[in-house]
Amino acid sequence: MSRIVVIGATGHIGSYLVPRLVRAGHQVVAVSRGHREPYHQAAEWASVERVAADRSEEEANGSFGQRIASLEADAVIDLVCFTPESAQHLVEALRPQRPLLVHCGTIWVHGPAKRVPLTEDEPRTPYGDYGTGKAAIERLLHRETRTGGVPSVVLHPGHITGPGWHVITPAGNLDPRVWRALALGEPLALPDRGLGVLHHVHADDVARAFELALSRPAAIGSSFHVVSEQAMTLRGLADGVAGWFGREPRLDFVDDAELERRYGTDHAATTRAHVERSIAASIARARDVLGYSPRYSSLEALKEALRWLVEHGQAEVDGQDF
C-alpha cells in the first residue's frame, strides 16, 4: 500500500481517480479547495483523508508546498497546476523527500498539428496562456527528473469528457444548443467544412492512466498522451450524435463572421481555438509503457455526458430517448 496525495481531488479526473486508488489498496489524501464534493459519490470516499487548501492563497504566502510535503506521500498527483511558478514551488518543497510527482498536462502543449497522429516527441509549439504554461511546466519537471531531483511523469489528456459538467460539443465549443440542433434536425453551423479535429477522452480513462503511472518505473521522466483511441472531425462527431436520434445532421459550413453571429463571441472563439489546433494524438507510447487502453471512444464518452446534461436540465433534446 502506498500513501497517495491527490491535489484537485474533487474535480473531473479526481472524482474518478480517488475511488480507483482506494480500491487498489492505497491510502489516499484528497486535497481540494474548500470541501466541495466530488462529481460522483462513491463509498470509497468514506476512507479518504480530506484536506482543504486554497492553493493560490497558500502559494502566495509560501506555505502550500510545505503543506503538501508534510503529508509524507509516496506519490503526489497534481491535477490543478497551471503555471511553472506553481510547479517550482511544489517541487522545491518535495525535493528532500522525492516522492513520485505525476502531473496533469494537456494536449494543448501542441499548437496547430503538422503531422498526425501527433507523438509526444513532436516539438512543442503552444500558444495561449494555458498551453504555454503547461509546456513550461513539462520542461521544468523533466529537467528536475534528469538532474536527480523529484521524479515525475507528465500525462497530457485530451478534451476531458464525462457526466457532471458541460463538455466540448461537436461544434468545438460549450454551447448546449448544439445538442438540440443535432437531436431535432436543426441547422448546425461549423467552420472549415467541419474538418477540424477534436480528441476527446472520458475522465475515467484519464483516471486509469494516472493510476497506471504510479506503478510504471519506466514512465518516469516521460510524457504521455491520454486520449480516446481515435480523434474525430467535427462533422464526424455531428453525424454520430445525430445518429443517436435517427437523424442525419443538417450542417451549415460558415465563415468566421457567421460563426460568431450564430454562437456569439465566446463560443465562436472556443470553436476556433479547437479547430486551429486540430490535434489528433497518438497513444502508442501510453499503450506500450503504461498499459493504457481507453475503455470509451469519443462518441461513447460524449453520449454518457449528454445523458447527464439532459437528466439535469442542462441540455434539451425534446424528450427523445437515445
Side-chain angles (χ1 to χ4, degrees), residues 37 56 61 68 99 141 170 206-207 224-225 268 293 313:
E37 291 304 305
S56 296
N61 65 34
I68 300 303
L141 294 180
V206 181
F224 300 89
H225 294 150
S293 179

Side-chain angles (χ1 to χ4, degrees), residues 21-83:
L21 296 177
V22 173
R23 290 194 296 270
H26 298 296
Q27 181 183 12
V28 181
V29 182
V31 180
S32 59
R33 186 174 57 190
H35 291 282
R36 190 184 79 176
E37 291 304 305
Y39 283 96
H40 311 288
Q41 291 298 324
E44 290 84 357
W45 283 91
S47 62
V48 172
E49 180 182 342
R50 303 287 292 270
V51 173
D54 186 318
R55 185 173 193 159
S56 296
E57 181 179 299
E58 294 185 19
E59 283 181 346
N61 65 34
S63 66
F64 182 76
Q66 288 303 322
R67 168 94 84 106
I68 300 303
S70 72
L71 297 172
E72 299 183 334
D74 298 300
V76 175
I77 296 175
D78 193 351
L79 302 175
V80 288
C81 180
F82 302 105
T83 68

Side-chain angles (χ1 to χ4, degrees), residues 15 77 165 206 254 302 309:
S15 292
I77 296 175
W165 62 93
V206 181
V254 301
L302 284 175
L309 290 169

Side-chain angles (χ1 to χ4, degrees), residues 116-193:
V116 292
L118 281 164
T119 71
E120 294 87 348
D121 294 327
E122 192 74 14
R124 301 293 183 255
T125 56
Y127 62 95
D129 291 344
Y130 181 56
T132 56
K134 286 292 191 180
I137 294 168
E138 179 184 42
R139 290 193 300 272
L140 183 156
L141 294 180
H142 288 338
R143 183 171 61 248
E144 176 75 13
T145 300
R146 288 195 305 271
T147 56
V150 178
S152 65
V153 179
V154 179
L155 301 186
H156 291 308
H159 313 312
I160 300 173
T161 303
W165 62 93
H166 284 281
V167 299
I168 298 300
T169 71
N173 59 35
L174 296 168
D175 191 336
R177 295 174 298 173
V178 170
W179 304 115
R180 177 181 173 85
L182 293 169
L184 274 62
E186 298 171 350
L188 179 70
L190 297 179
D192 299 346
R193 300 196 62 78

Side-chain angles (χ1 to χ4, degrees), residues 171-173 190-191 234 259 263 266-276:
N173 59 35
L190 297 179
L234 302 188
L259 190 76
Y263 290 115
D266 290 345
H267 287 313
T270 300
T271 294
R272 180 51 59 191
H274 285 89
V275 169
E276 284 175 349

